[in-house]
């Protein structure tokens, strides 16, 4: 018992002895006033920080509010006396200090004109090279550059509070600036400033306007979690390296007009309560607005974009304006899970261009944004852009169905749920390959011309080439030349146009071939294999309505003759003796495919081989499907045409 009591007393004594000293190390003393005497002591007793001699003015209250006071006049002079006479760069540390009044940061440093042979000998060769690299030394008129304030060392402003205006205009900082958690309560002027090394303004607060216009950032810039409560002006600035604004808050206008970003600029999770202006900017690398909140108009007018603009999970409440923007082949706009919040939320851009650049990663979770974007462009009558997005939507749907078909457990294969996906997958693929899901009329017309030309030469062949009969029927040389040359020309032009119109030309051509080659070739082979053993061998299998010669719409016409004798008398065999006879076969094929023609040509109903009727009916059936797809595509690509088709 006595031993335990002794141990407790010793422990208590040790606590009383060491705890006060430990607490003293933890408690941060309040900033003390910086007097002229203390300043002189600090400038003569330098410390080492970041591998360089440093003037330590941390944890002080620096009162510069009285412009005519002796301290105010001596403050810049005392510091510059040390900086301007040192052979090496000197840092300044203002960490945890409070600077009251007008802080003229542009007076700290060495004022010099720029140009070869003009820089003071105080600068090292490396510094001269750096300065000349940052600020070109020649101009068109061979005049000297204006004077600029050059600060050679690093600047530490962490947790520093500036109660008045901070002015660093027309300065050049050769080393880094660290201002983490700093607070600028007055206007901040960093106009026409050259930042040679990294600057870190993370979690900084700008209570008033922050002016960084016409500045040049040669190294990484970090403004993570910065708060701009006034106007943020970065116009006409250039950013050479990674620029970070993620989680930043912009309470008023954020102006980046005519900025140049050579590497990634990151605005992810940033909030813009007022307008965001990127007009005439150049983005040579990506720009990220992931999960950002854009409450007012965002202007990307006349921008140059060479990479990705990422709007994933962003929230827009107003207009995104991409008018007159220039997008390179590497550019795209990721709008996955982009949220349209508010009735005024919309996206505008160059018709026929903007819709092709917008994309989402997958269909799941993006159904709403695709629907909103399609509605957005249809309301603006930008039908091409709306169709581009709908085409993308169906491509993603095909991918989704393909994944479900391929990744289904073997135990669930051949169940009704799995089997029902197959016709959906087939139909969607056909609509995408044969017309970009009703959005590519150019592609669809090319397919129709290939079909028309192919069946025209087949009809001509089986009708005009009958060598194995008592009196062989063979077309003359001129007719053969016209038929073959026209078929080859139409087919090559159509194939060439398909390569222009779609990004999957080979798949499209294979799909066309599957429909128009195997069955017709088999029928033609059987016709010649079986021979000709029927009457009327010396007449054409096709007849024309001789009562009319006019352009007609033949949507409801069947490829057979009417039974009533009064109408039958109008149909006569087509004329083989005419030089333009080969055009009749194109007319027949045109009737069957596009349901339009100048002459109503049909198959005869007497002594007609069933295989020939099968071939004509096969093309006519394909033509019905083709016309349905054609009218659907026209109604989706030409505003108002759907109403005309209905009437």
């Amino acid at each position: 018992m006595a031993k335990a009591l002794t141990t407790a007393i010793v422990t208590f004594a040790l606590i009383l002895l060491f705890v006060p000293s430990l607490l003293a190390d933890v408690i941060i003393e309040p900033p003390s006033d910086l007097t002229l005497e203390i300043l002189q002591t600090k400038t003569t007793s330098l410390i080492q920080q970041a591998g360089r001699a440093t003037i330590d003015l941390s944890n002080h209250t620096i009162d510069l509010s009285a412009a005519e006071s002796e301290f105010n006049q001596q403050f810049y002079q005392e510091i510059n006396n040390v900086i301007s006479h040192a052979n090496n760069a000197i840092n300044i540390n203002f960490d945890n200090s409070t600077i009251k009044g007008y802080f003229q940061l542009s007076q700290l440093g060495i004022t010099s004109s720029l140009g070869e042979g003009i820089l003071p000998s105080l600068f090292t060769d490396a510094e001269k090279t750096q300065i000349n690299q940052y600020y070109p030394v020649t101009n068109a008129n061979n005049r000297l550059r204006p004077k600029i304030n050059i600060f050679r060392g690093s600047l530490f402003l962490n947790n520093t509070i500036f109660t008045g205006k901070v002015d660093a205009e027309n300065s050049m900082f050769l080393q880094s600036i660290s201002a983490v958690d700093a607070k600028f309560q007055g206007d901040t002027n960093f106009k026409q400033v050259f930042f040679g090394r990294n600057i870190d303004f993370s979690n900084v607060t700008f209570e008033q306007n922050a002016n960084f216009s016409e500045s040049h950032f040669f190294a990484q810039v970090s403004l993570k979690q910065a708060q701009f409560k006034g106007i943020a002006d970065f116009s006409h600035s250039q950013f050479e390296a990674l620029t970070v604004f993620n989680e930043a808050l912009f309470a008023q206008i954020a102006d980046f007009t005519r900025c140049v970003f050579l590497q990634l600029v990151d605005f992810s999770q940033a909030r813009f309560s007022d307008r965001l202006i990127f007009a005439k900017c150049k983005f040579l690398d990506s720009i990220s607005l992931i999960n950002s909140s854009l409450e007012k108009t965002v202007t990307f007018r006349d921008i140059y974009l060479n990479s990705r603009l990422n709007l994933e999970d962003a929230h827009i409440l107003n207009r995104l304006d991409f008018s007159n923007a220039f997008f390179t082949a590497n550019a795209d706009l990721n709008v996955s899970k982009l949220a349209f919040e508010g009735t005024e939320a919309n996206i505008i851009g160059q018709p026929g261009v903007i819709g092709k650049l917008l994309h989402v990663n997958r269909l799941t979770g993006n159904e709403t944004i695709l629907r909103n974007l399609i509605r957005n462009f249809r309301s603006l009558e930008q039908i091409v852009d709306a169709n581009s997005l709908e085409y993308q939507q169906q491509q993603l749907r095909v991918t989704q169905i393909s994944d479900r078909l391929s990744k289904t457990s073997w135990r669930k294969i051949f169940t009704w749920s799995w089997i029902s996906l197959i016709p959906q997958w087939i139909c969607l693929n056909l609509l995408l390959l044969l017309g970009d899901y009703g959005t590519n009329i150019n592609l669809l017309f090319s397919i129709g011309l290939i079909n028309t030309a192919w069946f025209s030469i087949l009809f001509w062949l089986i009708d005009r080439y009958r060598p194995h009969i008592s009196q062989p029927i063979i077309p003359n040389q001129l007719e053969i030349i016209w038929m073959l040359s026209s078929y080859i020309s139409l087919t090559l032009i159509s194939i060439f146009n398909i390569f222009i119109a779609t990004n999957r030309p080979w798949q499209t051509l294979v799909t066309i071939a599957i429909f128009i080659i195997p069955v017709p070739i088999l029928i033609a082979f059987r016709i010649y294999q079986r021979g000709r053993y029927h009457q009327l061998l010396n007449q054409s299998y096709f007849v024309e309505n001789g009562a009319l010669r006019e352009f007609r719409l033949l949507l409801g016409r069947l490829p057979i003759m009417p039974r009533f004798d009064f109408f039958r008398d109008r149909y006569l065999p087509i004329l083989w003796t005419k030089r333009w006879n080969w055009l009749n076969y194109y007319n027949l094929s045109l009737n069957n495919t596009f349901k339009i023609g100048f002459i109503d040509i049909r198959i005869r109903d007497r002594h007609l081989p069933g295989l020939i009727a099968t071939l004509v009916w096969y093309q006519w059936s394909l033509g019905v499907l083709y016309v349905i797809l054609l009218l659907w595509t026209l109604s989706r690509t030409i505003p108002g045409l759907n109403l005309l088709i209905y009437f």
Side-chain angles (χ1 to χ4, degrees):
M1 183 68 179
K3 185 177 181 181
L5 182 59
T6 303
T7 302
I9 292 172
V10 171
T11 303
F12 183 71
L14 290 174
I15 292 175
L16 292 177
L17 180 63
F18 290 103
V19 167
S21 61
L22 292 174
L23 291 175
D25 293 337
V26 174
I27 296 175
I28 299 175
E29 296 181 359
S32 59
D33 292 338
L34 182 66
T35 63
L36 189 57
E37 292 76 15
I38 297 176
L39 175 61
Q40 292 171 345
T41 302
K42 295 289 186 179
T43 54
T44 55
S45 302
L46 305 183
I47 66 170
Q48 288 293 317
Q49 185 173 356
R52 193 178 290 117
T54 303
I55 300 175
D56 183 15
L57 299 178
S58 61
N59 295 294
H60 284 87
T61 298
I62 305 173
D63 191 354
L64 302 174
S65 57
E68 303 299 327
S69 67
E70 181 183 1
F71 176 80
N72 198 324
Q73 295 175 358
Q74 293 294 322
F75 175 75
Y76 301 102
Q77 183 177 349
E78 289 289 337
I79 295 176
N80 283 338
N81 284 338
V82 178
I83 293 176
S84 60
H85 291 88
N87 293 327
N88 298 313
I90 303 294
N91 299 337
I92 302 181
N93 186 352
F94 289 104
D95 287 352
N96 303 302
S97 292
T98 299
I99 301 178
K100 298 181 179 180
Y102 180 26
F103 182 40
Q104 301 180 62
L105 184 55
S106 57
Q107 290 193 16
L108 294 179
I110 301 172
T111 301
S112 173
S113 297
L114 299 179
E116 293 183 357
I118 296 177
L119 292 173
S121 59
L122 176 67
F123 292 104
T124 64
D125 291 340
E127 289 174 334
K128 290 179 181 179
T129 302
Q130 185 181 8
I131 294 170
N132 291 330
Q133 175 187 358
Y134 293 162
Y135 202 102
V137 296
T138 59
N139 58 22
N141 299 323
N142 293 322
R143 291 178 299 181
L144 297 180
R145 292 289 182 177
K147 291 186 176 182
I148 190 170
N149 181 70
I150 302 174
F151 192 86
R152 303 170 66 195
S154 297
L155 196 61
F156 298 94
L157 305 171
N158 301 310
N159 292 294
T160 305
I161 299 175
F162 300 89
T163 64
K165 180 179 179 180
V166 177
D167 188 0
E169 184 175 353
N170 196 32
S171 298
M172 178 183 290
F173 296 94
L174 300 184
Q175 302 301 326
S176 62
I177 300 178
S178 180
V180 178
D181 294 310
K183 291 180 175 58
F184 296 86
Q185 297 178 353
D187 289 340
T188 307
N189 184 10
F190 282 90
K191 183 178 181 180
Q192 296 179 340
V193 174
F194 292 79
F195 297 94
R197 294 291 184 264
N198 295 352
I199 67 169
D200 189 355
F201 279 72
S202 300
N203 205 33
V204 71
T205 301
F206 297 96
E207 298 284 350
Q208 303 296 326
N209 298 336
N211 186 356
F212 288 84
S213 63
E214 302 178 46
S215 294
H216 205 126
F217 302 84
F218 289 92
Q220 183 172 323
V221 180
S222 178
L223 282 150
K224 181 179 180 181
Q225 297 180 334
Q227 297 185 43
F228 296 88
K229 297 184 178 180
I231 296 174
D233 186 0
F234 289 86
S235 61
H236 299 83
S237 295
Q238 181 162 326
F239 299 81
E240 301 273 350
L242 173 66
T243 305
V244 179
F245 284 92
N246 63 312
E247 300 182 57
L249 170 64
F250 296 85
Q252 297 189 38
I253 295 174
D255 188 359
F256 291 87
T257 303
R258 291 187 181 273
C259 283
V260 178
F261 299 92
L262 275 66
Q263 294 189 25
L264 169 67
V265 52
D266 184 5
F267 287 96
S268 58
Q269 301 183 56
R271 179 178 178 181
F272 299 88
S273 299
D274 208 322
R275 288 183 297 153
L276 172 58
I277 305 173
F278 286 112
K280 301 182 185 298
C281 281
K282 290 185 178 180
F283 299 96
L284 303 185
D285 206 327
S286 302
I287 170 174
S288 175
L289 287 160
I290 297 175
N291 201 23
S292 59
S293 179
L294 309 167
E295 299 180 12
K296 296 292 179 65
T297 303
V298 181
T299 302
F300 289 99
R301 190 180 295 115
D302 295 303
I303 67 167
Y304 175 93
L305 182 64
N306 188 48
S307 189
R308 167 167 294 185
L309 196 163
N310 200 334
L311 288 161
E312 185 173 357
D313 287 310
H315 301 261
I316 62 172
L317 284 77
N318 210 294
R319 173 176 295 180
L320 264 65
D321 185 357
F322 291 94
S323 301
N324 301 320
F326 180 82
F327 301 99
T328 68
N330 299 322
D332 67 83
L333 308 177
N334 181 13
V335 291
S336 299
K337 298 183 180 180
L338 175 67
F340 276 59
E341 297 183 357
T343 56
E344 298 182 358
N346 62 6
I347 297 177
I348 64 173
Q350 184 177 350
V353 175
I354 186 68
K356 295 179 181 179
L357 293 167
L358 299 170
H359 80 275
V360 298
N361 298 326
R362 59 184 180 276
L363 184 61
T364 304
N366 289 301
E367 296 89 344
T368 301
I369 178 57
L370 287 170
R371 185 165 56 251
N372 287 335
L373 288 171
I374 292 170
R375 186 186 301 116
N376 167 80
F377 289 116
R378 291 202 183 279
S379 66
L380 297 172
E381 296 188 359
Q382 295 183 210
I383 305 303
V384 174
D385 299 307
N387 286 341
S388 295
L389 287 163
E390 193 156 2
Y391 172 65
Q392 180 185 159
Q393 182 183 40
Q394 300 307 320
Q395 280 186 312
L396 294 171
R397 194 179 303 281
V398 166
T399 303
Q400 185 184 60
I401 295 174
S402 300
D403 290 341
R404 291 174 62 185
L405 286 171
S406 61
K407 296 178 181 179
T408 301
S409 171
W410 66 271
R411 295 178 180 176
K412 297 182 179 179
I413 293 180
F414 302 118
T415 61
W416 176 248
S417 299
W418 187 84
I419 294 174
S420 64
L421 295 175
I422 297 177
Q424 297 180 44
W425 182 84
I426 293 174
C427 290
L428 277 176
N429 271 294
L430 289 177
L431 290 175
L432 290 171
L433 289 171
L434 300 179
D436 290 351
Y437 198 77
T439 64
N440 195 335
I441 193 65
N442 191 22
L443 172 61
L444 200 58
F445 270 120
S446 299
I447 293 172
L449 289 177
I450 289 177
N451 180 70
T452 300
W454 169 247
F455 279 95
S456 297
I457 199 170
L458 279 180
F459 294 150
W460 171 79
L461 181 67
I462 63 176
D463 193 43
R464 296 289 289 121
Y465 183 69
R466 310 179 191 181
H468 304 299
I469 58 177
S470 58
Q471 295 181 349
I473 298 174
I474 299 175
N476 59 50
Q477 185 177 7
L478 183 62
E479 186 174 347
I480 294 173
I481 292 174
W482 275 110
M483 197 67 203
L484 291 179
S485 61
S486 62
Y487 166 72
I488 293 172
S489 299
L490 280 175
T491 302
L492 289 179
I493 291 172
S494 300
I495 291 175
F496 179 74
N497 198 42
I498 286 175
F499 275 89
I500 296 175
T502 181
N503 56 0
R504 295 191 294 176
W506 290 112
Q507 294 93 322
T508 300
L509 290 173
V510 169
T511 304
I512 297 170
I514 290 173
F515 279 96
I516 69 172
I517 292 181
V519 173
I521 288 294
L522 179 61
I523 292 174
F525 174 77
R526 289 291 296 158
I527 289 173
Y528 283 98
Q529 185 184 46
R530 294 175 60 177
R532 313 294 176 96
Y533 302 104
H534 53 272
Q535 298 183 22
L536 300 180
L537 284 176
N538 296 323
Q539 291 186 8
S540 173
Y541 296 122
F542 307 108
V543 295
E544 61 173 314
N545 184 352
L548 295 173
R549 289 289 190 276
E550 61 185 15
F551 183 78
R552 302 184 69 186
L553 185 64
L554 305 171
L555 286 176
R557 179 188 78 58
L558 297 178
I560 56 175
M561 291 173 56
R563 291 185 58 191
F564 187 51
D565 290 339
F566 177 77
F567 293 105
R568 289 169 58 90
D569 293 341
R570 300 181 182 180
Y571 289 89
L572 301 172
I574 61 174
L575 299 174
W576 283 345
T577 58
K578 298 295 182 180
R579 183 174 296 180
W580 44 262
N581 169 63
W582 58 278
L583 290 172
N584 286 319
Y585 302 98
Y586 278 101
N587 197 108
L588 171 62
S589 187
L590 194 67
N591 291 349
N592 288 341
T593 302
F594 289 93
K595 309 303 180 186
I596 55 177
F598 299 92
I599 304 174
D600 183 10
I601 299 181
R602 312 190 186 197
I603 51 177
R604 73 189 190 195
D605 63 344
R606 295 177 181 176
H607 307 292
L608 178 73
L611 288 174
I612 295 176
T614 301
L615 182 62
V616 176
W617 275 101
Y618 181 75
Q619 192 204 14
W620 183 88
S621 301
L622 292 179
V624 171
L625 299 175
Y626 177 79
V627 167
I628 292 173
L629 184 59
L630 179 63
L631 294 177
W632 179 58
T633 302
L634 288 172
S635 68
R636 288 164 50 82
T637 54
I638 303 177
L641 187 63
N642 53 347
L643 187 62
L644 178 63
I645 292 173
Y646 173 78
F647 283 113

